[in-house]
Amino acid sequence: MTITSFHHLDLAQELTRALDENNYKTPTPIQMSAIPSLLEKRDFLGIAQTGTGKTAAFALPILHQLFTEPRTPKPCTTRALVLAPTRELAIQIADNCEIYAQHLSLRQVTIYGGVKQKPQVQAMSQGVDLLIATPGRLLDLMQQSHIDLSMVTHLILDEADRMLDMGFVRDIKKIMLTIPKKRQTLLFSATMPSSINRLAGSLLNDPVKIDVTPEVVTVRKIKQTLYKISKKHKRALLATLLQNEEISKTIIFSRTKHGANRIVKELEHEGITTAAIHGNKSQTARQKALEAFKKGEIRTLVATDIAARGIDVDNISHVINYDLPSEPESYVHRIGRTARAGTKGSAISFCDEGEGKLLGLIEKIIKFQIPLLKTPELLKLEPLEKETKERKVAVKKKTNNAFQKSKIKKQRTRLGKNRR
Ligand code: AMP
């Protein structure tokens, strides 16, 4: 039988109702292949990136099992644990699970670092059905005895490659030691380097393997183009391109946090609404920027690779690679921010004199030569540095004048007092 609807998947009626209400009509390929095996409690290895529907692929069968085999969780324990590399991804998974589980009355908690631990500890104290966590804060709370993983029956590692890249391997190993061996384990990764192969070998028991190759997902739907441009002209090219109003909801990628801040400054200088998200920004600042971007209050979001992983914002019209990523796989993740859930999208990359080698690696991975565009005539822009310097001098002059004036005023007052 071909699966054309969620109603063919033997999911609890409470789940399919939530899917209907949220306009999920047809399962995506990874959902069609994962859900039946996961309902049979098989272990699972999914090679898939965000945008493929992988969250629902693991969340629906796990929520189904938690709902149809109800148990009251003991204090501080959880029955299912989802590990995610970043706070943004953890929040996004939690938001999706809340939607799917809206008719199930299960307890769900999300924990991540960068915010106060007390509300998280309180939420965990009664025990939960589903815990979504980043490894660092989870381990921290476990070490303080606020979380006990001895009742976990379902474990999901999402974006495992990114967790290893971010140096979580030790935390993950420590966490694994506390989870019972008898469990269902799911591992999702966008890429399959040997480190992930080893991790999968040590955690999974005879898993079902599904590969939703990212190239197929991205290359087909996303219009990709390239400008060869010298580093010093990238700013003017960006400003010129953003004159086109069709480039509406856009993520601009920078290789470094410092570079992201500089791009934000430059865009603000051009009067373009923007904000940055990267590891040096507080959790509140990141969430605020993301919310403003989602609501369309800002037109552009400037991000580094790690911060952008897992961002799920609808209708992103363009991804601009201001710098090419140092890891070629990140190109696929970056451009996957657009053209989500069947919509169209464009990815524009800038390649400067030092990035030719990176471009070669990217094109090898995507098995495709990105079409080169002729550089448009660039806006004649005053260098920002010069403008900033000039402004600084003007501000200094103004401050000095104000200081002199207040000094004279004070002297006059003193003189007046002395005269009296
Ligand atoms: P994910 O790959 O899990 O990050 O999902 C990407 C986006 O597609 C999210 O906004 C989901 O809500 C949406 N989505 C996932 N599966 C479906 C589906 N079968 N029908 C419609 N939208 C979906």
Side-chain angles (χ1 to χ4, degrees), residues 30-158:
I30 191 154
Q31 291 162 0
M32 287 186 210
S33 32
I35 293 173
S37 336
L38 292 178
L39 287 175
E40 285 171 13
K41 302 186 196 289
R42 294 283 305 269
D43 279 5
F44 188 84
L45 174 61
I47 313 298
Q49 60 159 335
T50 24
T52 54
K54 71 179 164 65
T55 315
F58 68 74
L60 293 171
I62 299 301
L63 289 169
H64 172 95
Q65 294 186 59
L66 294 173
F67 177 66
T68 53
E69 298 162 32
R71 276 189 197 92
T72 312
K74 287 188 185 154
C76 302
T77 66
T78 179
R79 299 172 62 201
L81 170 66
V82 181
L83 281 178
T86 61
R87 303 150 188 184
E88 283 81 8
L89 183 62
I91 292 171
Q92 198 173 290
I93 296 170
D95 288 348
N96 282 342
C97 289
E98 248 168 50
I99 291 173
Y100 309 145
Q102 60 191 291
H103 304 300
L104 302 186
S105 69
L106 293 171
R107 277 182 54 76
Q108 173 188 322
V109 166
T110 316
I111 64 169
Y112 44 81
V115 291
K116 287 192 184 127
Q117 71 165 46
K118 205 172 165 195
Q120 299 177 351
V121 170
Q122 271 170 352
M124 276 308 297
S125 64
Q126 297 166 41
V128 297
D129 295 289
L130 175 64
L131 170 62
I132 300 146
T134 54
R137 174 60 67 92
L138 173 64
L139 198 60
D140 190 5
L141 296 187
M142 284 165 65
Q143 281 161 352
Q144 297 176 56
S145 306
H146 293 308
I147 296 181
D148 167 2
L149 298 182
S150 63
M151 305 300 281
V152 169
T153 46
H154 306 276
L155 169 69
I156 300 103
L157 289 99
D158 197 10

Side-chain angles (χ1 to χ4, degrees), residues 225-237:
T225 48
L226 179 79
Y227 288 103
K228 291 214 167 154
I229 181 95
S230 74
K231 198 172 182 167
K232 64 173 190 266
H233 289 130
K234 281 186 174 179
R235 173 183 164 237
L237 177 60

Side-chain angles (χ1 to χ4, degrees), residues 403-413:
F403 180 67
Q404 287 300 344
K405 272 186 196 159
S406 88
K407 221 167 133 185
I408 292 167
K409 202 174 162 192
K410 268 186 196 159
Q411 273 173 354
R412 280 194 187 139
T413 327

